[in-house]
Amino acid sequence: MTMSKLALPQAAAAKLQKLCPLRPTLAIVLGSGFHHVLAGLRVEKKINYAKIPGFPQPTVSGHAGELYFGQLGQTPVIVLSGRAHFYEGHAMDRVTFGVRMLAAFGITDLLLTNAAGGINRKFRAGDFMVLTDHMNFMGDHPLRGVLLPGLPRFVDLTETYDKQLRQILMRAGKRARLKLREGVYIAVSGPSYETPAEIRAFAALGADAVGMSTVPEAIAARQCGLRVTAVSCITNPAAGISQGQLSHEEVLETAERVKKSGAALIESFAGFYGEWSLRKPA
Ligand code: HPA
C-alpha cells in the first residue's frame, strides 16, 4: 500500500471539516429500511460522495451516495446515505473507508443500520433487530493486510456492540412503540441470497439474521476505538423459512412499509444519545 493510500481517510476527514463547521460525535449509516431518517433530518450540509476524495461510489439502486451534516432533534449527526458493499466488488479497505474517515473526523459513536433476512423463526418481516453480536462469514477480513500506523493488529471483539448504546437503542424502541428483537447477525458476501441448507446451518450455529453488510464496518470501527451499535430491518424470512422465493423487490417493499418505524427508532435513538453524551465522562 502506498503512503497516499494510507493518508486517504485522513484527507477525506480534513475535507469534511473544511466543508462544515458542525462537529457531531455520532454518525449513522443508513441501510435499506432506514432512508426515511432523512425526512426528519435538519440538514446543514449535504455532500455527494463524489466530492469526498477517496470515497467509494455506491452502485446499488436505492443507495444514494450522500453524506449529510445535520441535527436529528437536538442532536448533531453525520448521516451516510448509501454504503459500499463487498458484493459490489470493493476490496475491504474500500468498504471500510467511510468508517475510517469518520474516526479521523472525530466521531466517537457509530450507529450502523441494514436490511437482513430473518433466520430466527420468531421474527416477522418488518421487525427490527438490535445486534448483540455477529459472525463474519464473508470470507474476507477488513483488518487483513498492511497494518495502519497507530492501530492495533489484533483487535478484541468480545463486545463489538456497545452495551450502553444498545440500551439506548432499546429505550428508543420503547419510545417509538416498537417491539425490538435482539440477536446475532451473520454476514455473508452475497450477492446471491442464501440456500435453505445454508440458512439451516446458520440457524444451528446460533444466527438470528443474515445480511451482506455492517460487519466489516463494525470491525474497522472497533479497531479505530469507536463505540458501535447496529440494528437490522428484517425485510424477509431467510431462504427456506418461508415458502416462496426471495427477491430484492420483497426487501424493498418491506423496507418501504416500515420506513416510518425505522425513522422513528433512529430519531429517538439520536435524542437519547444526545442526553447521554452530555452526561457521560469523555
Ligand atoms: N439474505 C441476505 N441479505 C439480505 C436478506 C437475506 O435474506 N434480506 C435482506 N438482506
Side-chain angles (χ1 to χ4, degrees):
M1 214 185 281
T2 62
M3 272 320 283
S4 65
K5 196 160 183 190
L6 288 178
L8 275 175
Q10 284 71 24
K15 174 97 190 248
L16 288 187
Q17 287 169 346
K18 237 183 258 164
L19 288 172
C20 188
L22 205 63
R23 293 293 176 267
T25 59
L26 173 65
I28 304 171
V29 177
L30 300 181
S32 308
F34 294 93
H35 288 275
H36 196 62
V37 166
L38 294 175
L41 181 71
R42 266 187 293 123
V43 177
E44 299 211 355
K45 182 91 189 167
K46 173 176 159 179
I47 303 163
N48 193 288
Y49 287 171
K51 296 264 162 60
I52 306 172
F55 209 99
Q57 296 297 302
T59 62
V60 198
S61 66
H63 293 267
E66 319 260 18
L67 180 147
Y68 296 81
F69 281 90
Q71 312 267 354
L72 259 188
Q74 307 292 313
T75 308
V77 291
I78 288 181
V79 177
L80 296 189
S81 175
R83 54 152 62 91
H85 294 89
F86 187 58
Y87 62 72
E88 292 173 89
H90 298 295
M92 281 294 184
D93 65 339
R94 311 273 78 212
V95 173
T96 57
F97 184 92
V99 167
R100 297 194 184 284
M101 173 191 73
L102 292 169
F105 174 90
I107 289 293
T108 55
D109 300 274
L110 180 66
L111 168 58
L112 300 167
T113 68
N114 62 55
I119 296 177
N120 187 318
R121 287 178 178 272
K122 292 192 185 127
F123 292 3
R124 297 288 168 262
D127 284 353
F128 292 89
M129 183 191 89
V130 174
L131 275 66
T132 55
D133 205 345
H134 75 227
M135 297 185 214
N136 177 15
F137 271 50
M138 286 188 140
D140 199 345
H141 197 286
L143 308 187
R144 180 170 174 269
V146 176
L147 181 62
L148 300 169
L151 294 179
R153 172 84 288 183
F154 303 105
V155 174
D156 175 59
L157 296 178
T158 310
E159 201 189 306
T160 312
Y161 302 94
D162 184 82
K163 277 209 182 82
Q164 282 181 301
L165 291 184
R166 204 194 312 162
Q167 276 169 10
I168 295 173
L169 208 38
M170 295 308 289
R171 268 174 73 200
K174 278 211 181 101
R175 170 69 61 89
R177 296 179 185 283
L178 297 174
K179 193 173 87 189
L180 280 190
R181 312 286 194 166
E182 287 184 281
V184 174
Y185 175 97
I186 187 165
V188 293
S189 76
S192 73
Y193 293 111
E194 300 68 38
T195 64
E198 286 167 342
I199 294 301
R200 283 193 301 276
F202 296 165
L205 292 176
D208 297 293
V210 57
M212 305 174 192
S213 69
T214 301
V215 162
E217 291 131 297
I219 294 172
R222 289 306 301 141
Q223 188 190 36
C224 297
L226 305 186
R227 273 181 294 261
V228 179
T229 191
V231 59
S232 297
C233 174
I234 305 296
T235 50
N236 56 283
I241 300 231
S242 70
Q243 305 306 318
Q245 302 194 343
L246 304 193
S247 71
H248 188 51
E249 287 66 41
E250 178 185 4
V251 169
L252 295 180
E253 261 169 45
T254 305
E256 177 66 21
R257 175 165 65 79
V258 298
K259 68 180 185 184
K260 289 200 172 143
S261 304
L265 173 65
I266 303 308
E267 259 184 61
S268 322
F269 173 84
F272 287 132
Y273 169 85
E275 292 167 20
W276 171 77
S277 66
L278 291 177
R279 285 196 317 264
K280 78 175 178 340

